[in-house]
Amino acid sequence: MESLNNYEKLKANGSLRKLGFASVVALCLTVIGFFCYAFSHPFSQNQVAEITETWTYYPKNSPDSTFKSRYVKHLPQIRPNQIMVMERKMKTEVENPMLLIQGNHQWIKVTIDDRLIYEYTPTSTGRLASDNPGKSLKEIQLPADYLGSVLKIEVASPYQSYSGLPARVFVGEANSLMAYIFTLSIPQVLMMILGISISVVLLLIVGRTLKKQQRLDVQLLLLAAFAMTIGLEAAASDIVAGLLFSPIVNSTVAIILAALSPLFLIVYYCHKMTVMNTYYKYWVIPHLIFSLSLLISVAFTPLDMPEIKPWIDAVNLFGTLAITIAAICESHQKNRFYVFCTPWIVLVALAHCFLYIMEIMGTPYNHINFSGLFFIVILLVIFIYTVSEFLTNEEKNRKQMNFLEVKTALLEESREEMNHHLTEVEQIKKAFRKNLQMMQLLVEDGNLTGTQEYLAELMEDTKRMDGLPRFTEHSLTNLILSRYQKLAEKRSIDTSFNIVLPPTIAITDTDLTKLFAHLLEHAFRETYAITDPSQRKITLQVYCDQGKIHFYCEHTANYYENIFDRGINTDLPEKEEFDLWVLEKISKKYAGALKKSNTEKTDSVAITLSV
C-alpha cells in the first residue's frame, strides 16, 4: 500500500502529545517519591531500632535450654500455652526511652530485673487462657535506671501456629519510635488507599450502570468487594491498627477479611469464564460452602479464628491450582479477559500456593503482608483491564450515538423531501386530470396538433412524479448519496454515482458512513474550488468482486486556478490530510489498501476492502 505523508504527520503529532503526557506523569511521580521519602525519614535512625539479634530464648520450665536469636527465629518445641522467655541486657542509653511490643496472638509479660512493668495475660485481662489474645501493640515507658538492667519478656500462645514465635520489640526515644512505626506502616497504608480507592471507583461504575441501564453489574460488584476486603485487611493487619483497636478486634477482622478476599476473587473469576464456567463451579461452590461454614462455626463452637485459618489456607491451596488450570483453558479458548490476565493470574496463584504451603507447614511468621501484595498486583491488572474495557465500550457507544444522530438527520431530510414530493404529486395529479380532459375534447374535435402538445406536457409531468433517487439496493448508501446529490445540485457540480451493492454488506454502518462522507467531502471541497462550474465533476464507483469491495472516487481539481489560490480558504491541506487519514485507517481495519493519485486536472482515491 502506498504510504501517505499525512498519516506520518498525524502520528508524529500523537507522539509529541504522548511525550508531553509522559513528562507530566514523570513530574507527578517525582513529587510523590519525594514526599514518600520525606515521610519515611522524619527521625534520627540512631534514636530507634527493632531488637532482633541480641535475644536469648529458652522455655521457662527449662531455663538451661537456651538459644541465641542470631540463629533462631522460632522455637518449634514450644507447645500451646507453654511460656517462652526472651531475655537481653539493656546497653544503649536513649533519652526518654520507650519500649513498643507487638504480640501476634500471644500473651505477654515484661519485667526489668524482675520488676513487672507490663502484663497482658489471661489473669490481667480477666479472660480464660484458651481465649484469643488477638494482635496486640503496647507502648511501655522504661524506668530511668533501665541501663544495664536485664529485660525479660515472657511469651505464650494458646495456638500451635503462634507458639514459639518471639514478640516483635522496638526500643528508642518516644517521638522517634512512633515515627518509625508509622514508616513501617507505609506499605500497608498504600495498599489500603489503593484497594479502597479502586473499590469506590468500581462502585461508582456499578451505580452508573444501575441508574442508566437498570441493570446490576454483578461482576464489577464482586471486584469492588474484593478490592474493599484487600484494603480493609491491609488496614486491620497493620501494626498501627494495634494502637486504634483492641487486640481481639484486629485479629478477628484481619482473619475474616483475609478469608473473604479469595472467595470474592474466585467467584469473580467464575463469572468471567465462558467455556470452563460449568466445570469451575464444581470447585467454587464446595470451596465457598467449606470456607463460610468454618467462619460461621466460630460463633457456635469453642474454635477460635486462628485455629480455623490453617484449614482455610489448605482449601485455598487447592483453589490456586484450580484457577491456574481454568485460566489457562479459558485463555486457550480466546477469552479476552483471560488472554490479558492469565499470565498474572497464574503468577499470583503460584505465589499464593507457596505462601499457603509455608503457613500450613508452620514456617515462622513473616511481618510483610505478601498475600496482600500479591492480591494488590492482580487487582491492579484486573482494574486496568476493566477500565480500558469500560472506556472502549463508552467510546463505541459514543460513536454509535453519533452515527444514529447522522442517520436520523438523513432520514429526517428524506422524510421532509418525500413530504414535499407528495404535496407536489397531488398538484400534478390535479393538473394531469385537467390535461386529460382537454385532450379528450381535442381528440373529439380532431385537433391533432393540440393533442400532441398536451401529450408532451403529460410526459413531462410523469417525470416530476418520480420519488427519491435510488442508486443501489443498500438503503443507507441511498440515504447518503441522496444527500450529496442535493448538495451537488446546489453547488453546480456534475455527479456520476455508479453503485452496485447488495442489501447487506460486511462493513459496519459507521465505517461505511465515514467512507462515503470523507471520500465525497474530499471531492466536493476541491471540486467546488474550481471557478468554472462547467469543470466541476465527480465520479464515484462502488462494486463488489470476489469478497472485496472497491471504492473509486475521481474529481476534477484544477490546482493552478481555483478560489483557494486567492486566499479565500487556507485550511484545505489540513482537511485533506484528515480525510485521507480516516480513509487509510478504515482500509487498514478491513485489511485493505488505499491509493491516491492525481494529474494536472483530476484527483482520485481508490480503496479496496477485504470483507
Side-chain angles (χ1 to χ4, degrees):
M1 182 183 67
E2 180 182 347
S3 177
L4 300 179
N5 291 332
N6 67 282
Y7 183 78
E8 299 299 329
K9 290 179 183 177
L10 291 174
K11 190 163 66 173
N13 293 337
S15 300
L16 291 176
R17 287 193 293 269
K18 291 179 181 177
L19 180 62
F21 175 75
S23 301
V24 174
V25 171
L27 178 62
C28 293
L29 292 177
T30 302
V31 173
I32 293 172
F34 170 77
F35 281 104
C36 288
Y37 178 83
F39 287 140
S40 61
H41 295 76
F43 55 87
S44 172
Q45 295 282 358
N46 298 326
Q47 295 295 311
V48 62
E50 180 179 1
I51 307 174
T52 58
E53 298 292 333
T54 57
W55 293 103
T56 298
Y57 301 130
Y58 58 86
K60 187 175 183 179
N61 57 359
S62 181
D64 296 331
S65 303
T66 60
F67 302 88
K68 297 294 183 180
S69 62
R70 182 173 299 177
Y71 308 104
V72 179
K73 295 183 179 180
H74 176 232
L75 296 185
Q77 67 270 33
I78 301 295
R79 302 301 174 198
N81 295 316
Q82 184 179 359
I83 298 175
M84 181 185 73
V85 179
M86 305 169 56
E87 187 177 289
R88 73 181 298 270
K89 191 172 183 179
M90 307 297 287
K91 298 180 180 180
T92 305
E93 183 177 6
V94 178
E95 184 180 354
N96 190 19
M98 181 72 70
L99 198 67
L100 189 72
I101 300 179
Q102 182 185 22
N104 192 3
H105 301 92
Q106 297 162 327
W107 302 113
I108 297 174
K109 183 178 179 181
V110 183
T111 60
I112 287 189
D113 286 342
D114 296 328
R115 288 180 293 169
L116 180 66
I117 60 174
Y118 171 69
E119 184 178 20
Y120 178 64
T121 62
T123 304
S124 63
T125 58
R127 288 188 279 166
L128 299 176
S130 61
D131 282 351
N132 184 2
K135 302 180 69 173
S136 60
L137 185 69
K138 181 63 179 179
E139 301 173 85
I140 306 170
Q141 184 71 46
L142 290 174
D145 58 347
Y146 78 95
L147 195 62
S149 302
V150 176
L151 175 65
K152 184 184 294 185
I153 302 176
E154 296 181 2
V155 181
S157 175
Y159 312 117
Q160 182 62 53
S161 300
Y162 302 95
S163 298
L165 291 176
R168 201 174 184 187
V169 181
F170 304 87
V171 65
E173 194 273 333
N175 294 330
S176 296
L177 181 61
M178 294 311 301
Y180 179 72
I181 295 302
F182 278 105
T183 61
L184 295 178
S185 302
I186 288 179
Q188 297 290 96
V189 171
L190 292 177
M191 288 170 58
M192 177 191 70
I193 294 174
L194 196 58
I196 294 178
S197 299
I198 290 176
S199 178
V200 170
V201 172
L202 293 173
L203 289 174
L204 290 176
I205 297 177
V206 171
R208 181 179 180 274
T209 304
L210 184 62
K211 181 180 179 180
K212 282 194 169 185
Q213 304 179 13
Q214 299 298 313
R215 176 179 63 88
L216 180 64
D217 195 329
V218 178
Q219 292 183 8
L220 287 187
L221 191 62
L222 288 169
L223 187 60
F226 171 63
M228 185 65 72
T229 55
I230 290 177
L232 295 179
E233 193 269 335
S237 60
D238 183 25
I239 185 173
V240 177
L243 299 174
L244 304 176
F245 306 103
S246 67
I248 189 66
V249 171
N250 283 339
S251 171
T252 303
V253 172
I255 292 177
I256 290 176
L257 293 175
L260 291 178
S261 295
L263 299 185
F264 285 123
L265 184 59
I266 63 173
V267 176
Y268 174 78
Y269 284 152
C270 188
H271 272 272
K272 298 296 289 186
M273 292 180 183
T274 56
V275 178
M276 298 296 294
N277 181 285
T278 303
Y279 303 102
Y280 190 59
K281 283 181 181 178
Y282 291 137
W283 167 257
V284 171
I285 294 175
H287 188 164
L288 291 174
I289 294 174
F290 182 80
S291 298
L292 294 176
S293 298
L294 285 176
L295 292 175
I296 294 172
S297 67
V298 175
F300 305 100
T301 64
L303 292 174
D304 290 330
M305 284 291 180
E307 293 177 294
I308 68 168
K309 192 174 185 301
W311 293 95
I312 295 178
D313 291 339
V315 72
N316 286 337
L317 169 62
F318 293 101
T320 58
L321 303 177
I323 186 56
T324 298
I325 297 172
I328 292 174
C329 292
E330 283 289 324
S331 177
H332 182 69
Q333 296 297 326
K334 307 302 181 184
N335 184 321
R336 286 184 58 195
F337 170 79
Y338 283 97
V339 168
F340 181 83
C341 298
T342 290
W344 298 96
I345 292 174
V346 173
L347 182 64
V348 170
L350 293 178
H352 271 105
C353 182
F354 285 110
L355 284 180
Y356 294 139
I357 292 174
M358 291 170 62
E359 292 182 9
I360 293 171
M361 294 179 64
T363 303
Y365 178 78
N366 199 315
H367 300 297
I368 301 175
N369 186 5
F370 283 110
S371 179
L373 288 175
F374 294 144
F375 276 137
I376 280 291
V377 169
I378 194 61
L379 174 63
L380 285 174
V381 172
I382 297 175
F383 180 69
I384 291 171
Y385 173 85
T386 302
V387 171
S388 62
E389 187 181 50
F390 174 77
L391 294 178
T392 301
N393 291 335
E394 286 294 301
E395 181 65 15
K396 287 182 180 178
N397 292 335
R398 186 186 66 80
K399 290 182 178 179
Q400 185 66 20
M401 290 299 296
N402 291 341
F403 169 73
L404 290 176
E405 290 178 1
V406 172
K407 194 171 183 179
T408 302
L410 291 173
L411 291 172
E412 186 67 22
E413 288 182 7
S414 299
R415 185 184 68 83
E416 292 178 359
E417 186 175 350
M418 183 58 72
N419 289 338
H420 175 73
H421 179 71
L422 291 175
T423 303
E424 189 179 32
V425 167
E426 287 295 326
Q427 296 174 353
I428 293 173
K429 285 170 60 179
K430 294 178 181 179
F432 192 78
R433 189 178 295 111
K434 291 180 180 179
N435 289 334
L436 284 176
Q437 292 174 353
M438 289 300 299
M439 282 184 62
Q440 186 179 8
L441 294 175
L442 291 172
V443 170
E444 290 175 354
D445 293 340
N447 189 343
L448 182 59
T449 303
T451 302
Q452 290 176 342
E453 291 178 357
Y454 273 102
L455 184 61
E457 292 182 12
L458 290 175
M459 293 299 294
E460 187 65 25
D461 287 341
T462 57
K463 294 179 181 179
R464 294 170 57 195
M465 293 178 66
D466 292 337
L468 294 176
R470 186 177 181 85
F471 302 96
T472 180
E473 297 295 324
H474 194 264
S475 57
L476 178 60
T477 301
N478 282 327
L479 290 174
I480 297 171
L481 297 182
S482 175
R483 181 177 187 178
Y484 278 98
Q485 188 180 57
K486 289 191 296 182
L487 182 62
E489 293 173 358
K490 292 179 181 179
R491 296 186 177 183
S492 302
I493 298 175
D494 182 21
T495 58
S496 175
F497 295 153
N498 184 13
I499 314 296
V500 182
L501 287 177
T504 58
I505 56 177
I507 302 178
T508 64
D509 288 347
T510 304
D511 290 337
L512 186 66
T513 302
K514 287 181 179 179
L515 273 172
F516 280 117
H518 287 279
L519 268 176
L520 294 174
E521 286 293 333
H522 171 71
F524 270 68
R525 191 182 306 113
E526 294 188 355
T527 304
Y528 188 55
I530 299 175
T531 54
D532 184 1
S534 64
Q535 300 297 320
R536 300 171 184 171
K537 185 175 182 180
I538 296 175
T539 301
L540 177 65
Q541 296 179 355
V542 183
Y543 62 94
C544 298
D545 181 31
Q546 297 180 353
K548 295 184 177 181
I549 299 181
H550 302 272
F551 295 79
Y552 179 78
C553 183
E554 181 181 275
H555 62 273
T556 52
N558 189 339
Y559 292 105
Y560 300 102
E561 296 179 5
N562 58 50
I563 61 176
F564 296 111
D565 295 332
R566 297 193 292 273
I568 297 177
N569 193 325
T570 59
D571 62 348
L572 175 63
E574 290 77 9
K575 290 182 177 180
E576 180 181 9
E577 286 180 1
F578 180 72
D579 286 331
L580 295 177
W581 179 77
V582 173
L583 294 174
E584 186 175 13
K585 185 177 179 182
I586 296 175
S587 66
K588 287 183 176 181
K589 180 179 179 181
Y590 292 91
L594 180 148
K595 185 177 181 180
K596 181 181 182 297
S597 59
N598 60 281
T599 65
E600 184 177 339
K601 295 292 184 179
T602 62
D603 192 341
S604 63
V605 177
I607 300 174
T608 302
L609 305 183
S610 299
V611 293

